[in-house]
Amino acid sequence: MTMKFIVKTYGCQMNVADSELIISILQKSGFSSTDKIEEADIIIFNTCSVRENAESRVIGRISNEVSRKTTNKDLLIGIVGCMAQRLGDELKKINKKIDFIVGVDQYSKLPEIIEVSRQKVAVETTFNTTEIYENLFPTRSNNLNAFVTIMRGCNNFCTYCIVPYTRGRERSRSVTEIYNEIEQAGREGLKDVTLLGQNVNSYLYIDYPENISQRALNSYNYQLDEMPMGERYDFADLLRKVNEIKDIKRLRFITSHPKDLSDKLINTMAECDKVCEHIHLPLQSGNNEVLQKMNRNYTIDHYMSLIHKLRSAMPNIAITTDIIAGFPGETEEQFDQTLQIVRAVQFDFAFMFKYSERSGTKACDFPDTVPEKVRLERLQRLIDLQTEITTLKYKQRIGNIEEVYVECQSKRESREMSGKTRDFKITVFEGDDSLIGKFVNVKITDAVGWTLKGEIVQCET
Ligand code: SAH
Ligand code: SF4
Ligand code: F3S
């Protein structure tokens, strides 16, 4: 009888994409995937470590699910992803019912590790600096949107961030592999593609002559002048290339680091018809001193010049961001500058966080930590301001006709369908299931919270 497994995914889109890889790896080895947890023989948690509450949520969920072992003695519980990578063996102490712990570069070994874990707890968290999961087509978790990893790891070491420690160093996948994966997704009917990397702007792939091992070379951090000769593809080149794929209608990417967002990329975005009018450009703080302590390597002037260039090249571009409130040493005045920049930029949307200590990161040892109460209070002020701006931005859309990619039934109202505009705004309108996967033109009649409401004026033919 085939063993059934379920993957529960936490964290960022990178983990969503990794879960699709895991499903593909296990299916190839004869396991079958289920979406009913009560049917599963193996429950896998793909976890996130980015903030403390991301970890505590998953620890709580694991302790709920291990109780299933009382009725199903053979049930296996596995932890993979960033928390598995960060904590490794320690997780065994946190919950004694865990059967296997596998880090982000070891998913190809999952079938064997699962076998071993029937006898004893199996832990495999070795980093593999060249692992990019070549020649693996992920099993897509939906048939509308494809998340395609173009690079793994991060070299930036922002001082608050755990990701470089859980994901290892940067390595880019080959243009051909990415192209083929997207082409296949397009053939399968997925029309919306998001290219993924912790910092897509530092994507670099060099197509070396055949006699040199490409995989090895692309995994090393060569100084640019030491690079062997070969055809070079930066992120803008990659974007232009995948823009040619005919079955794909929309292209997006996350995340762009402001220090590496080039004029070439901005022009490429403007010129490529499939690249949507949306960019996620994390600000983190509105104060230069804080940015420096965060090791972000840009100034506010630079950030504002990018906003200006983006809006000049694409007047309707939606700009979203990430901001942290209460970084160590952040003064009231410095936080106030963040509010000022938020007012000046007028982001369409922002993910806002209170600073969370991550052990092992540099900022964790910084003095003058901001008291929890102040962090929360600043976060609330930030959220209030951004909510006002978002509401205004959304209301400005009333009267427009927007192209919407229909994705699902609306959660609130079964007669309503929900989809996204090119600039990533959720839009609901009256319609039925037959519209899922189609592009429709919707006249916007209202904006409620972070949702546009409207009525269909034209369906895809
Ligand atoms: N590579 C992406 C995403 C990183 S994680 C980037 O560079 O933008 C997503 C967001 O989580 C970050 O942009 C940051 O705003 C937030 N974040 C990361 N570490 C954090 C921490 N220790 N405390 C609070 N927020 C954090
Ligand atoms: Fe973290 Fe900075 Fe890397 Fe983003 S760029 S993953 S915030 S270290
Ligand atoms: Fe979390 Fe790892 Fe993504 S820490 S945000 S799942 S890269």
Side-chain angles (χ1 to χ4, degrees):
M1 216 179 69
T2 57
M3 302 273 292
K4 289 188 179 157
F5 68 93
I6 187 165
V7 186
K8 291 278 168 197
T9 309
Y10 294 78
C12 65
Q13 302 304 344
M14 199 69 85
N15 262 12
V16 174
D18 277 1
S19 290
E20 295 182 342
L21 275 179
I22 291 169
I23 295 171
S24 162
I25 291 166
L26 290 179
Q27 284 175 334
K28 276 209 183 81
S29 294
F31 296 86
S32 74
S33 154
T34 173
D35 51 14
K36 297 194 184 70
I37 199 158
E38 59 282 0
E39 280 184 2
D41 306 296
I42 309 165
I43 304 175
I44 300 174
F45 293 92
N46 192 3
T47 59
C48 172
S49 284
V50 79
R51 283 168 293 276
E52 195 182 345
N53 63 4
E55 290 196 344
S56 44
R57 256 182 67 212
V58 91
I59 290 171
R61 179 73 196 267
I62 296 164
S63 33
N64 287 344
E65 301 302 346
V66 290
S67 63
R68 293 181 185 278
K69 287 196 168 190
T70 47
T71 48
N72 180 357
K73 294 269 180 289
D74 296 326
L75 177 68
L76 294 175
I77 306 261
I79 315 297
V80 305
C82 292
M83 209 173 138
Q85 190 70 52
R86 186 175 96 79
L87 294 172
D89 270 326
E90 264 181 65
L91 274 170
K92 287 200 271 188
K93 288 182 231 144
I94 293 173
N95 196 312
K96 295 196 168 51
K97 297 277 168 67
I98 293 172
D99 299 286
F100 58 92
I101 298 161
V102 179
V104 297
D105 290 335
Q106 299 296 339
Y107 297 149
S108 301
K109 291 195 196 139
L110 264 167
E112 299 124 68
I113 293 170
I114 289 173
E115 282 318 308
V116 173
S117 75
R118 292 183 200 289
Q119 314 303 327
K120 62 172 179 63
V121 183
V123 183
E124 176 52 282
T125 57
T126 319
F127 270 129
N128 176 350
T129 53
T130 59
E131 182 58 272
I132 43 172
Y133 298 105
E134 264 176 316
N135 306 319
L136 255 181
F137 280 96
T139 305
R140 301 284 172 206
S141 53
N142 76 65
N143 45 25
L144 299 166
N145 320 90
F147 292 104
V148 178
T149 304
I150 61 163
M151 57 191 296
R152 299 182 71 85
C154 180
N155 291 355
N156 290 315
F157 289 95
C158 303
T159 54
Y160 51 79
C161 186
I162 197 72
V163 171
Y165 305 91
T166 64
R167 290 270 165 183
R169 296 296 65 75
E170 278 174 11
R171 59 218 104 132
S172 296
R173 291 178 67 201
S174 85
V175 176
T176 314
E177 279 242 346
I178 296 168
Y179 190 95
N180 291 345
E181 187 179 319
I182 297 178
E183 218 177 27
Q184 171 153 338
R187 273 197 301 273
E188 288 169 7
L190 292 84
K191 297 182 186 125
D192 176 295
V193 171
T194 306
L195 306 177
L196 298 178
Q198 295 300 345
N199 175 13
V200 289
N201 298 340
S202 62
Y203 175 88
L204 181 63
Y205 188 80
I206 302 183
D207 218 354
Y208 296 112
E210 271 170 20
N211 55 348
I212 305 179
S213 161
Q214 303 200 357
R215 189 172 165 191
L217 284 171
N218 277 296
S219 309
Y220 283 99
N221 295 315
Y222 278 95
Q223 293 299 315
L224 286 184
D225 53 357
E226 301 177 348
M227 288 266 195
M229 296 299 286
E231 200 174 345
R232 300 162 58 94
Y233 291 87
D234 63 14
F235 182 59
D237 302 326
L238 174 73
L239 206 54
R240 200 176 281 282
K241 181 98 187 134
V242 293
N243 190 63
E244 290 165 8
I245 299 174
K246 84 172 186 331
D247 293 325
I248 298 299
K249 299 282 183 278
R250 288 183 178 184
L251 265 174
R252 314 176 184 282
F253 50 89
I254 42 175
T255 297
S256 279
H257 195 306
K259 79 176 163 69
D260 302 315
L261 176 58
S262 64
D263 292 355
K264 177 177 173 188
L265 179 58
I266 295 175
N267 293 335
T268 306
M269 285 177 74
E271 282 164 21
C272 292
D273 58 331
K274 291 176 185 168
V275 177
C276 292
E277 296 72 27
H278 171 219
I279 191 163
H280 187 66
L281 195 65
L283 168 70
Q284 311 300 2
S285 164
N287 174 269
N288 284 337
E289 214 176 304
V290 175
L291 285 174
Q292 200 177 10
K293 284 192 195 159
M294 287 175 161
N295 191 31
R296 289 290 289 176
N297 284 304
Y298 54 84
T299 61
I300 290 303
D301 277 355
H302 177 71
Y303 190 90
M304 294 307 285
S305 77
L306 294 177
I307 300 289
H308 180 73
K309 283 182 197 169
L310 284 161
R311 286 189 172 143
S312 305
M314 292 159 277
N316 292 324
I317 192 168
I319 303 177
T320 56
T321 200
D322 293 347
I323 302 173
I324 300 176
F327 184 76
E330 183 189 68
T331 64
E332 198 50 38
E333 292 69 39
Q334 289 172 334
F335 175 68
D336 207 51
Q337 284 178 356
T338 299
L339 297 180
Q340 283 174 33
I341 298 299
V342 167
R343 258 185 226 109
V345 175
Q346 299 274 302
F347 293 109
D348 290 72
F349 183 80
F351 293 97
M352 296 160 280
F353 313 101
K354 74 177 165 71
Y355 171 70
S356 166
E357 273 91 2
R358 305 284 60 218
S359 106
T361 62
K362 275 204 174 144
C364 200
D365 299 326
F366 286 177
D368 306 325
T369 52
V370 175
E372 178 71 13
K373 200 166 143 260
V374 179
R375 287 184 213 183
L376 274 171
E377 180 268 327
R378 286 184 189 164
L379 176 64
Q380 194 54 54
R381 273 154 65 199
L382 182 60
I383 292 174
D384 290 347
L385 172 61
Q386 183 54 49
T387 306
E388 235 174 73
I389 297 168
T390 298
T391 308
L392 201 74
K393 284 250 159 187
Y394 277 51
K395 291 250 188 257
Q396 284 167 356
R397 297 305 176 99
I398 297 175
N400 282 12
I401 292 176
E402 305 273 354
E403 182 201 78
V404 174
Y405 183 40
V406 188
E407 292 175 345
C408 57
Q409 225 169 41
S410 140
K411 287 192 191 96
R412 293 237 175 100
E413 175 65 69
S414 63
R415 283 179 309 125
E416 280 184 347
M417 301 309 292
S418 171
K420 290 199 189 75
T421 59
R422 275 178 67 96
D423 70 350
F424 212 59
K425 291 182 169 60
I426 294 175
T427 307
V428 298
F429 55 90
E430 215 167 281
D432 60 55
D433 282 6
S434 66
L435 295 172
I436 292 180
K438 295 213 161 84
F439 289 87
V440 297
N441 282 337
V442 173
K443 179 160 191 198
I444 307 302
T445 53
D446 201 1
V448 183
W450 297 330
T451 305
L452 298 175
K453 295 200 159 207
E455 49 206 42
I456 294 193
V457 290
Q458 196 193 359
C459 291
E460 189 180 22
T461 47

